[in-house]
Amino acid sequence: MGIKVGTDIISIKRIQKLLDKFGNRFLERYLSKNEQLLVKKTETAAGFWAAKEAIAKALGCGIGKEIGFLDIEIKKDDNNAPYFNLKSKKFNIIDSSLSISHDSGFAIAVAVIII
Ligand SMILES: CC(C)(COP(=O)(O)OP(=O)(O)OC[C@H]1O[C@@H](n2cnc3c(N)ncnc32)[C@H](O)[C@@H]1OP(=O)(O)O)[C@@H](O)C(=O)NCCC(=O)NCCS
């Protein structure tokens, strides 16, 4: 058993530019329909991007062949706190935790995974 941590930070302006240029096609690239329903502002879209990168880092592979953006599903609990599930069971995750924050033009996420 081991504890893995991953973190990521992204400029909210960078996400806004991609949204301006590609609109929904950009969201579709990394968010499921249910995740898109949770996104009411660019800060959240940026936070979800950072979250998926952080989760992929905690898994030790990064977004790529092993795990894609759409293999990770971010959800919110009744208090609006984020958490996530993976579509694949191959990583044998025992427990996990996700935290997202945004301020001063940046969104940051930290993911902790117990494997
Ligand atoms: C919830 C709270 C901690 C968020 O902190 P903040 O400084 O306002 O905002 P931050 O940018 O740091 O964080 C925002 C992110 O925190 C996450 N978040 C929201 N509510 C959360 C909660 N209850 N627990 C953990 N994370 C939470 C979300 O991912 C949110 O971003 P998103 O909605 O765009 O996805 C803050 O609003 C707060 O203390 N609220 C008052 C108490 C409260 O609402 N409690 C909820 C029940 S415990």
Side-chain angles (χ1 to χ4, degrees):
M1 194 172 96
I3 300 174
K4 308 285 181 190
V5 66
T7 183
D8 192 62
I9 182 168
I10 182 144
S11 152
I12 295 165
K13 203 188 279 179
R14 194 174 143 206
I15 295 294
Q16 186 61 58
K17 275 188 186 162
L18 289 162
L19 280 171
D20 292 344
K21 195 165 175 195
F22 300 109
N24 234 36
R25 270 192 300 146
F26 170 62
L27 289 182
E28 300 271 345
R29 216 187 109 201
Y30 76 103
L31 297 177
S32 70
K33 291 282 176 227
N34 284 335
E35 289 170 329
Q36 288 175 46
L37 291 175
L38 297 173
V39 173
K40 309 273 187 252
K41 51 188 192 207
T42 311
E43 286 87 340
T44 304
F48 279 21
W49 178 283
K52 293 195 177 197
E53 294 275 3
I55 292 160
K57 286 183 191 176
L59 290 169
C61 48
I63 297 288
K65 262 197 301 216
E66 294 268 328
I67 191 150
F69 281 117
L70 299 177
D71 297 323
I72 302 167
E73 180 79 21
I74 299 173
K75 297 180 180 178
K76 293 286 192 82
D77 73 12
D78 293 344
N79 292 322
N80 206 35
Y83 64 99
F84 70 94
N85 298 127
L86 297 188
K87 296 244 166 81
S88 164
K89 299 279 172 224
K90 71 178 172 188
F91 291 100
N92 297 317
I93 292 177
I94 295 167
D95 204 357
S96 65
S97 187
L98 174 65
S99 185
I100 298 172
S101 185
H102 31 70
D103 194 15
S104 305
F106 290 90
I108 187 171
V110 175
V112 173
I113 293 174
I114 298 177
I115 294 183

